[in-house]
Amino acid sequence: MTKGNKIPRSEFIKCTGALTFMLLGTEWVFALPSFAGTLVDTAQKRQAYTLQLLKKLVTDIGPKPSGSKAYAKAAGIVFQEMQRSLSEVSYDRYEFEKQEPIKWTNLVVGGQQFEVAPQKRGFGTPAQGVEGILTKHGNGFAILNDQNKEVLAYFSVNQYGKAIAGSASGEIERSVPVFGIGKQDVPLLERSAVNQLRASISAEYRALHKAPGLNVVGQIPGKSKKEILIIAHLDTIYNTPGANDNTASVIVMLMLAHAASGRNNNHTLTFVASDSEEYVYEGAYHYANTRIANNTLGNIRYVLNFDSLTYGPNLWINSKDQGLKDMIRTIHQDLKLQTTPIYSENDGFVMDSLPFRSSGARALHANSRGYDEKTLPVYHRPDDTADKVPLDCVEIAFQVFDELIRRIDRE
Ligand SMILES: [Zn+2]
């Protein structure tokens, strides 16, 4: 640098002074609130926002199972989205023991092939696969060992449609490989079982020690420490891009965060995009434990758990809290929504909200119904793609929960 290029000290102070003001003032104090709240303040903006995020989080990324690079990428996008209007965004990290199916064959019965989906966390077959006699077993089917009639593999039926990841709940006692099959294949399999046809299949699993788990947590500090927690899981199972289960609900949650960031809230609002919901809620459990360790779990007064808000325009509210259900009923009337919410006596502390039970908060778990023919058959399937998300359901869920958050914030 030549002498002539030196900035006089007085000028330098002015410069850095202005810079400091910009950093402290513009970046952190003024820029945020003036921008916040307007990001999704019309139905048109919300639709554009939803479509853009469905492309990024569903179409471009594909399946994002817990512990995968795809999940970490999706979590990064959600982190950035939260940062657009929330002042406090962080990752809540943990490790978990992951197990995933990596290779499997169709079920072959009497020379005929049937599509299957292995259990998400389960047992593989020996490398050469298993072979035996097909039989009816419990609510599903099994392959039995020819000699000792032991169950070599179990098959659960998806009542909604084609094969989804199998589940063995209560049907078998031992650690046998489990697969899902589609309901359309049941008649043929039943005939095959009557005729004691031979069946074979194989599956291979991989165990991942200390797989990375990653919740994304955004917060809007309120006037009080009393807190409303909204949670929606971002992970999918191994074979689906998970548009309706549960990425669209995460997008609804992000829009609620943007909207609330433009208001002066009494309650502190916390938004959690949780990981590992499909791995028995390990992400939600970890975050609840983080809050217990910080001695702040008791601040939580409301827990709203969103899982699959876009199966139809009729929200399905699971809660034992009559007051919350009444409030949602009134909101539907006040907003003149032409939908028929379902109010269930099921516990609001279920799945991802279960770990927060000891907070003593008021809780609901929201799902939805109404476009069952279109949306339920794609559940946990490769075709749960962005185009399967009914955009009217996104808008209805946004309107109802935006209003609910406003009303409970006044309580
Ligand atoms: Zn789900």
Side-chain angles (χ1 to χ4, degrees):
M1 191 193 278
T2 63
K3 205 180 175 194
N5 282 346
K6 270 191 185 163
I7 303 170
R9 191 176 147 76
S10 58
E11 284 292 310
F12 180 74
I13 290 169
K14 248 201 281 187
C15 273
T16 52
L19 200 65
T20 310
F21 176 77
M22 251 172 62
L23 280 175
L24 292 179
T26 314
E27 273 298 296
W28 298 108
V29 183
F30 299 118
L32 224 43
S34 67
F35 174 68
T38 61
L39 202 53
V40 293
D41 59 356
T42 66
Q44 209 176 4
K45 285 190 198 173
R46 290 192 285 274
Q47 181 163 332
Y49 184 84
T50 301
L51 287 170
Q52 175 216 335
L53 269 190
L54 280 174
K55 180 175 185 303
K56 283 191 193 171
L57 291 171
V58 176
T59 311
D60 294 352
I61 288 186
K64 39 185 184 291
S66 192
S68 68
K69 284 192 177 126
Y71 178 86
K73 193 173 173 196
I77 291 168
V78 169
F79 191 100
Q80 280 176 7
E81 283 304 318
M82 284 187 179
Q83 275 192 321
R84 292 174 76 180
S85 57
L86 274 51
S87 53
E88 294 174 19
V89 185
S90 60
Y91 285 123
D92 176 51
R93 296 175 189 274
Y94 58 96
E95 289 172 332
F96 70 104
E97 298 305 306
K98 180 175 165 151
Q99 215 191 0
E100 60 183 354
I102 50 169
K103 231 164 74 183
W104 59 96
T105 63
N106 287 335
L107 166 66
V108 183
V109 182
Q112 178 122 12
Q113 307 249 350
F114 296 88
E115 186 198 11
V116 298
Q119 193 172 24
K120 359 182 213 198
R121 182 143 63 167
F123 304 92
T125 64
Q128 72 276 16
V130 295
E131 193 185 331
I133 296 162
L134 188 78
T135 180
K136 283 220 62 167
H137 188 94
N139 292 319
F141 295 87
I143 297 176
L144 297 186
N145 182 300
D146 295 315
Q147 272 86 50
N148 59 18
K149 305 291 180 226
E150 243 180 43
V151 175
L152 300 174
Y154 175 75
F155 301 88
S156 61
V157 180
N158 178 18
Q159 298 302 338
Y160 297 129
K162 293 181 183 171
I164 60 168
S167 124
S169 51
E171 303 285 0
I172 44 165
E173 287 137 39
R174 297 188 309 113
S175 42
V176 303
V178 172
F179 303 85
I181 52 168
K183 70 171 178 185
Q184 78 286 352
D185 290 330
V186 167
L188 188 50
L189 288 173
E190 274 177 346
R191 282 202 297 281
S192 307
V194 169
N195 295 327
Q196 300 203 316
L197 292 188
R198 296 195 67 73
S200 63
I201 196 160
S202 77
E204 188 186 331
Y205 280 76
R206 166 173 62 191
L208 257 153
H209 182 51
K210 292 192 174 178
L214 197 57
N215 299 312
V216 190
V217 183
Q219 212 162 50
I220 305 171
K223 291 181 195 137
S224 149
K225 276 186 181 168
K226 288 190 296 183
E227 187 177 328
I228 303 169
L229 175 78
I230 297 112
I231 186 164
H233 76 85
L234 179 62
D235 67 313
T236 70
I237 77 163
Y238 62 85
N239 66 341
T240 174
N244 286 289
D245 177 19
N246 189 41
T247 314
S249 309
V250 172
I251 295 171
V252 169
M253 181 181 75
L254 287 171
M255 295 198 297
L256 292 170
H258 293 317
S261 71
R263 302 194 291 262
N264 260 324
N265 302 290
N266 293 315
H267 288 72
T268 293
L269 302 181
T270 304
F271 301 88
V272 180
S274 58
D275 193 357
S276 300
E277 191 269 352
E278 303 287 3
Y279 273 87
V280 287
Y281 332 122
E282 291 202 31
Y285 270 104
H286 188 270
Y287 180 65
N289 284 333
T290 303
R291 298 294 305 263
I292 290 168
N294 295 344
N295 211 10
T296 56
L297 189 80
N299 293 347
I300 302 171
R301 302 303 159 89
Y302 294 89
V303 178
L304 314 179
N305 179 15
F306 298 162
D307 199 345
S308 307
L309 298 177
T310 50
Y311 285 149
N314 309 317
L315 289 170
W316 176 12
I317 308 299
N318 296 277
S319 180
K320 289 191 183 299
D321 189 313
Q322 193 54 46
L324 270 180
K325 285 191 277 192
D326 288 345
M327 213 181 289
I328 287 177
R329 207 183 302 269
T330 314
I331 287 170
H332 276 79
Q333 288 159 4
D334 294 349
L335 299 183
K336 298 190 167 53
L337 296 172
Q338 304 298 311
T339 61
T340 316
I342 304 153
Y343 299 101
S344 150
E345 277 307 308
N346 297 336
D347 201 335
F349 287 111
V350 67
M351 301 183 213
D352 265 6
S353 46
L354 184 56
F356 301 93
R357 187 194 288 280
S358 62
S359 66
R362 303 173 71 179
L364 69 79
H365 168 87
N367 200 297
S368 61
R369 285 294 184 268
Y371 298 151
D372 302 16
E373 297 297 310
K374 177 186 176 180
T375 52
L376 295 186
V378 304
Y379 164 74
H380 282 189
R381 295 271 312 166
D383 45 348
D384 187 8
T385 44
D387 58 302
K388 301 293 188 339
V389 174
L391 295 173
D392 59 329
C393 303
V394 173
E395 178 62 16
I396 287 161
F398 172 83
Q399 285 190 24
V400 170
F401 289 110
D402 185 54
E403 188 58 31
L404 181 71
I405 291 168
R406 288 167 191 263
R407 291 188 189 190
I408 58 183
D409 186 52
R410 290 199 290 266
E411 289 210 319

